[in-house]
Amino acid sequence: MQRPDWAPETIDIERPSVARMYDYYLGGSHNFAADRAAAQAMVAAVPDAPLMAQANRAFLRRAVQFLTDAGVRQFLDIGSGIPTVGNVHEIAQRGAPESRVVYVDVDPVAVAHSREILAGNDRAAVVQEDLRHPERILAHPDVRRLLDFDQPVAVMIVAVLHFISDDDRPGRILRTLREALAPGSYLVLSQASDDGRTEEERAEAERVYRRTDNPLWVRNRAELTAFFDGFALVEPGVVWVPEWRPDSPESAEDAERAVFMGGVGRLGG
């Protein structure tokens, strides 16, 4: 296919990207034919896939609003993806204009579009880096320029951990991030769960994502809860994402269809 002007020359537009598939689920336009084909295969295997992405995005919005109301003014969003309406900086800076946000993503399309959107916003930045290298994220000049780790920071890792295998030692990654945070900081996590899914659904979803550079690694509620080691879970704990402080009781109905589980933890002190 022809390469659009906005696509960096360094990316393989014939290989699906999880960030661009997620963009497709959310109704975005920054995706290629290969991404759409893979996303459509995922929808064929798991018809609720677009709902999953939308429910997860709504969870992010509610979590950021909760954090802003709690007085947090610094956000590190790792695996932020391709910008869509309702980014962290839009939500946080609407209620607290002094909020500072750093986005981190490994996908060059996500980074390029984030830079376009953030042009002229001196309280937000984006860096290209991988969650698997938390030390490099923490040491990045733009992270250090905008965020003061002597003050509370909210680390957002939303819809990312299911692309981090056990071999990548996600517990170590999260411990490295936790040790850099001041008391009063928060951790926001969500990821795809296999709780309540059939073995056939799980196998088909994993098959689709093996076509990308980020195979799927689903986990259950207990495994996700363990990632909050060192943090006190905020009520209602780790739940299906529509159940986390829903806007209305109706919006939490059939919550398990969202497939994603998530939670928010606070670092004591």
Side-chain angles (χ1 to χ4, degrees), residues 24 32-33 41 46 48 55 59-60 103 109 119 132 143 149-150 164 202 207 209 224 231 238 243-244 247 251:
Y24 174 83
F32 307 126
V46 183
D48 285 334
F59 164 70
L60 179 143
Y103 295 106
V109 170
R132 296 175 182 86
V143 173
F149 284 88
D150 291 328
I164 304 296
R202 173 175 175 160
R207 186 190 67 77
Y209 276 89
L224 185 57
F231 292 86
V238 174
E243 295 176 330
W244 198 89
D247 295 325
S251 62

Side-chain angles (χ1 to χ4, degrees), residues 193-195 219-228 238 261:
S193 171
D194 57 356
D195 283 15
R219 296 181 174 92
N220 59 34
R221 187 192 308 262
E223 291 172 305
L224 185 57
T225 300
F227 288 149
F228 285 96
V238 174
M261 285 190 170

Side-chain angles (χ1 to χ4, degrees), residues 3-261:
R3 181 181 298 272
D5 293 341
W6 50 263
E9 291 292 336
T10 53
I11 67 169
D12 180 1
I13 64 174
E14 302 295 338
R15 186 170 179 80
S17 152
V18 297
R20 298 192 300 269
M21 289 172 65
Y22 195 74
D23 176 66
Y24 174 83
Y25 296 143
L26 290 171
S29 59
H30 293 106
N31 48 72
F32 307 126
D35 307 310
R36 293 189 288 275
Q40 288 159 4
M42 180 64 179
V43 173
V46 183
D48 285 334
L51 168 69
M52 294 157 50
Q54 293 156 13
N56 198 67
R57 193 71 180 185
F59 164 70
L60 179 143
R61 172 184 55 78
R62 296 194 306 276
V64 173
Q65 187 62 64
F66 164 80
L67 294 165
T68 304
D69 291 346
V72 176
R73 296 295 182 265
Q74 302 189 106
F75 298 83
L76 179 60
D77 185 359
I78 306 176
S80 51
I82 292 171
T84 59
V85 173
N87 287 297
V88 172
H89 75 280
E90 292 178 331
I91 302 164
Q93 292 178 351
R94 185 181 306 126
E98 69 275 23
S99 297
R100 299 189 297 278
V101 179
V102 178
Y103 295 106
V104 180
D105 205 280
V106 71
D107 186 277
V109 170
V111 172
H113 282 285
S114 295
R115 286 185 178 139
E116 278 187 32
I117 285 175
L118 299 176
N121 188 330
D122 61 2
R123 293 184 179 271
V126 59
V127 302
Q128 186 170 349
E129 194 47 85
D130 193 321
L131 174 59
R132 296 175 182 86
H133 304 295
E135 299 90 349
R136 298 207 304 238
I137 293 173
L138 293 168
H140 194 283
D142 285 339
V143 173
R144 289 291 164 181
R145 174 176 60 84
L146 275 179
L147 304 182
D148 177 4
F149 284 88
D150 291 328
Q151 300 297 321
V153 175
V155 175
M156 322 278 299
I157 305 177
V158 176
V160 181
L161 282 175
H162 45 262
F163 301 124
I164 304 296
S165 74
D166 285 352
D167 292 340
D168 290 317
R169 300 172 61 197
R172 179 200 65 83
I173 292 170
L174 294 169
R175 184 169 59 252
T176 299
L177 292 167
R178 186 191 71 214
E179 290 173 350
L181 300 176
S185 294
Y186 287 83
L187 175 66
V188 181
L189 297 179
S190 74
Q191 83 143 79
S193 171
D194 57 356
D195 283 15
R197 313 309 293 190
T198 68
E199 188 58 37
E200 182 181 3
E201 285 178 313
R202 173 175 175 160
E204 185 62 17
E206 289 177 345
R207 186 190 67 77
V208 169
Y209 276 89
R210 280 197 294 273
R211 295 160 59 179
T212 76
D213 291 328
N214 299 96
L216 203 59
W217 197 276
V218 294
R219 296 181 174 92
N220 59 34
R221 187 192 308 262
E223 291 172 305
L224 185 57
T225 300
F227 288 149
F228 285 96
D229 181 45
F231 292 86
L233 280 167
V234 172
E235 289 294 332
V238 174
V239 294
W240 298 113
V241 290
E243 295 176 330
W244 198 89
R245 301 186 175 227
D247 295 325
S248 67
E250 293 76 20
S251 62
E253 293 176 356
D254 296 324
E256 67 277 5
R257 290 180 59 202
V259 178
F260 282 90
M261 285 190 170

